[in-house]
Each structure stands twice: as C-alpha cells, then as structure tokens.
Amino acid sequence: MSIKSYEFLIFAATRALEDFRPSRLQRRMDGIGLDFAPFSRSPMVPALSDFAPRSAPFTIPFTIALTFGDPAGIGPEVVAKALTDQTLRNWLRMQPWPVRFVVVGDRVGGWDDLADTDLAIVWQDLATNVTVCPGIGNAQTGEASFQYLQAAIAGALRGDYGAIVTAPIAKHGWQAAGHTYPGQTEVLAARTQSDRPGMLFAARSPHSGWVLRVLLATVHIPLSQVPLVLTPALLTTKLDTLRDSLRRDFGLAGGTLAVAGLNPHAGEGGYLGTEEETWLKPTLAVWQAANPDWRVWGPVPPDALWVGAARAWYHGGEAPIAYLALYHDQGLIPVKMLAFDRAVNVTVGLPFVRTSPDHGTAFDIAGQGIADPSSMIAAIQWAIELTAQRRGAGSRTNL
C-alpha cells in the first residue's frame, strides 16, 4: 500500500471517529430530539488527539502550529479566542479533513486554558520562564517570542507541521534581545534557506467573495532606500515569486498581474521620475515575453492602481488576480483600508505554509481582553486552505 493510500485511510478513519466525539454526537442528536446520556464515550474510541500517528510521513493530514508571538502583546489572547471561536469551529467541520493544532508558547497571561473547545489541541510549552506584564514588551518577551518561532520552524522542517501561523512580535523586543532580523519573514527565509521568499497579503471580500492578493517588492526598509534597492533583477525575481505562488498556493495557471509604478503618475513620461522609462517598462516587457500565460499590466500610476481592487472588493467584477507593490506602504495602505480585519500575511516561497494576522502586538490594549481575533481566524483558515492546495486535497472554499 502506498504512503498516500495509508494517509487517506488514517484521516478517513480519524474523521469517522471524530464524528462520534460527545459534543458532536450530542449536537446531532439534539437536532433529532434524542438524549445523548445513554451514549457515553467508550474508552476504546479515541479522540482525534489520541489518534495521531507517531512518525512524520503518517501525521494527520493538517497539523498547524500556532505561535504566541510576543507574550506581552495580544498574541496569546487572539490565539485563544480564535481556537474557541464558534465560527471557526463550524468552518472546520465543513472541511473534508481533520485539523490538529499545536500551540507553541508559554502557559502565561491567563490565556492557556483551551479546554472549552472540541478541537484537537496540543500544547508545546517552551517554559522560557518569561515574566509577562501585559502591554510592556522588553528583551525578555522578545527572546521568548523568538524562541517560539524557532521551535515552530524546527517542527515544520521536521515535517511535524504542515503550516505555521504566527502571532505578532515586537521588533524592538527582538533587537533588545540581540536578534537583528527585521521581522519573522527574514528568520523564516534564513532558517529554510529560501532564495526567493516574499511577503504577500491575501484577503477574501465578505461583500463579493473576490480575493485581494498583494506582493511587496521591498519590505522593511526606509523609503529613501527603495529606489536604491529596486533593480531589474529584483523586480524579475518578485514577478517569478508571485507567479510561482499563484500556481502552487492558489491553483491559478494564468491571469492579469498589476504592477505599480514607483513615481507619481508612474513618472509621467520621465517628467516626475525616470525609473519607469529607463528600466521598469523594459523589465516588464522582457518578463511578459517569457511568461505568455500571464498578462502584465503596468507600471500603473499608484494612485489609480487600487480603484479596480476597491470596486471588486465591494461589488465584484473584473480585476487583476494579484498586485505587485514596489514598497511597503504602497501595498499595505490599500490592503488595510479594504481588509484590516481580514487580511493575512502569507510568506511565499517557503517549503511550508506560513501565515500571520495583519496587525501588530497592540500593546496598548494587551491584557484587557478586548482584542479582535478576526485576523487570526482568517490566518488559520488561509493556512489550512493553502496547505490543502499544496497537497492537492482541496477545500470547501475557493482560494
């Protein structure tokens, strides 16, 4: 029997057993007016977490690691709220495969009690001995968040996890702890030795169902450095990265890619900047010729680029399937304007899926219990959907 056949039998049997967990059976019997009491669980019927095979090639089809991020921020809160959210649990029951969650962090901050959930959840308690004062990030919490990420990456590289969902970290906390990486994306790229990582933001519109996808050509650098870092080689690499991710992660074989200009009015023929004429347009033409299945639109004046995206977000209709923004705020301002509570950061070009909510540590509200978990819920859903797409397993929603 092949490994794939064995995996299918394992998750099919697991799914069947999962359907007879007390909470699910009670809900089904409630619907037809039966009493659950006579049908108490037999110790011979394992729960999903009991059924996990031991070796990596035969793991439950979707095992997702969730890191707490900086424990002084809202990361632990939004992770806990997401895993106990009824909407997410209902969505998971619609999927054709079971999901197992591994929470990577410290049992601190009062958000470690996840017993009130019917999901399969396992703790990876790193016991870093961090002292947490909600809202105050420092070198100690920065070091803890760095260790959470490292542990999750190690598990993904071993094949224990199909995806990682990371809560936000504080860059100043990492710097204080002696870690000079600009962010989690750069750590992921270094640890996986990925030569073409990218920061892509994805969001599905609740109004039209249209999916916004935005890749950044440059990320965490000062604006003054953007014209110096942008080169024909970098632009070509980012277009290749975007194309490969659309194929591998979203199942798209072609479509229109919109590329922003660098200068106001995309340079207006060289009057407001020369980069578009001297190398942006020629580079896009060369890439277009080498990739006939894709239509490159650009460089587009940045102030007009997002009109079609806004229209598609609220009303549907024709729009590019993805956008390439040349610098951080050029892409993130429209993303957060349209989809602040739904956008998800996807690190593309890795050997596994990584997503993260599109917000920061929110130290100003940490510890108050008022953090909105919507973006974390979306990050979990996207992680599962993208993993399903990579494995060819399909899902109940369209990417």
Side-chain angles (χ1 to χ4, degrees):
M1 183 180 293
S2 69
I3 288 179
K4 288 188 175 179
S5 298
Y6 187 78
E7 286 184 351
F8 176 81
L9 290 175
I10 286 176
F11 87 75
T14 304
R15 189 68 174 186
L17 291 170
E18 187 68 1
D19 283 342
F20 283 91
R21 292 177 61 180
S23 57
R24 290 192 180 173
L25 194 57
Q26 177 68 74
R27 283 191 293 272
R28 293 183 179 185
M29 291 184 171
D30 286 344
I32 57 175
L34 293 180
D35 182 13
F36 175 71
F39 300 91
S40 59
R41 175 186 166 192
S42 165
M44 297 301 293
V45 180
L48 178 59
S49 57
D50 301 328
F51 200 77
R54 297 295 184 263
S55 57
F58 305 110
T59 56
I60 292 175
F62 296 95
T63 301
I64 310 297
L66 306 173
T67 69
F68 264 0
D70 194 301
I74 63 171
E77 178 182 347
V78 294
V79 168
K81 283 183 173 180
L83 292 179
T84 55
D85 180 78
Q86 191 61 51
T87 301
L88 176 63
R89 290 149 75 176
N90 291 340
W91 182 86
L92 289 168
R93 292 188 195 102
M94 294 172 56
Q95 306 311 313
W97 13 252
V99 179
R100 176 175 179 261
F101 295 101
V102 178
V103 179
V104 183
D106 287 290
R107 291 178 177 267
V108 296
W111 298 107
D112 59 337
D113 184 8
L114 299 175
D116 184 24
T117 174
D118 58 359
L119 301 181
I121 300 172
V122 176
W123 268 91
Q124 185 178 352
D125 187 354
L126 297 191
T128 65
N129 296 318
V130 62
T131 299
V132 176
C133 181
I136 302 178
N138 52 36
Q140 193 179 18
T141 63
E143 178 61 32
S145 65
F146 189 80
Q147 295 305 320
Y148 304 158
L149 178 61
Q150 293 281 30
I153 294 173
L157 291 175
R158 288 194 304 267
D160 296 342
Y161 314 137
I164 296 174
V165 181
T166 60
I169 60 97
K171 296 175 179 59
H172 68 82
W174 276 18
Q175 296 291 324
H179 304 295
T180 58
Y181 293 99
Q184 298 187 92
T185 300
E186 291 78 10
V187 176
L188 286 154
R191 284 291 307 276
T192 59
Q193 298 182 342
S194 300
D195 58 351
R196 289 195 319 197
M199 182 179 289
L200 182 145
F201 292 84
R204 183 178 291 105
S205 168
H207 311 286
S208 66
W210 180 74
V211 175
L212 172 68
R213 305 176 186 89
V214 179
L215 181 71
L216 304 182
T218 61
V219 188
H220 297 127
I221 60 174
L223 186 59
S224 61
Q225 294 184 15
V226 171
L228 305 177
V229 172
L230 279 174
T231 63
L234 177 63
L235 185 66
T236 299
T237 296
K238 293 302 178 180
L239 285 167
D240 289 344
T241 298
L242 182 57
R243 175 203 61 203
D244 293 349
S245 176
L246 292 171
R247 287 174 174 168
R248 182 184 187 187
D249 298 324
F250 297 92
L252 299 172
T256 298
L257 308 179
V259 181
L262 177 64
N263 296 295
H265 301 190
E268 200 162 310
Y271 179 71
L272 298 177
T274 61
E275 287 86 354
E276 284 81 5
E277 300 298 326
T278 57
W279 68 269
L280 274 170
K281 288 181 179 179
T283 301
L284 294 180
V286 170
W287 194 89
Q288 174 70 88
N291 294 271
D293 292 336
W294 304 86
R295 175 178 175 263
V296 177
W297 177 41
V300 184
D303 59 344
L305 178 64
W306 307 105
V307 174
R311 186 181 298 116
W313 182 264
Y314 289 107
H315 306 292
E318 294 295 323
I321 62 171
Y323 295 79
L324 179 61
L326 300 188
Y327 55 91
H328 186 277
D329 287 5
Q330 188 183 64
L332 267 293
I333 289 174
V335 166
K336 294 191 176 185
M337 288 270 300
L338 292 174
F340 181 75
D341 59 345
R342 294 178 180 272
V344 169
N345 177 4
V346 182
T347 304
V348 298
L350 301 178
F352 51 81
V353 170
R354 179 263 177 155
T355 65
S356 180
D358 183 23
H359 60 68
T361 54
F363 286 133
D364 58 321
I365 62 169
Q368 300 178 37
I370 60 175
D372 183 352
S374 298
S375 189
M376 175 58 73
I377 292 170
I380 292 171
Q381 291 175 317
W382 275 105
I384 294 169
E385 292 185 0
L386 295 173
T387 304
Q389 178 63 41
R390 285 194 179 194
R391 297 188 181 188
S395 83
R396 300 295 191 198
T397 49
N398 296 321
L399 300 177

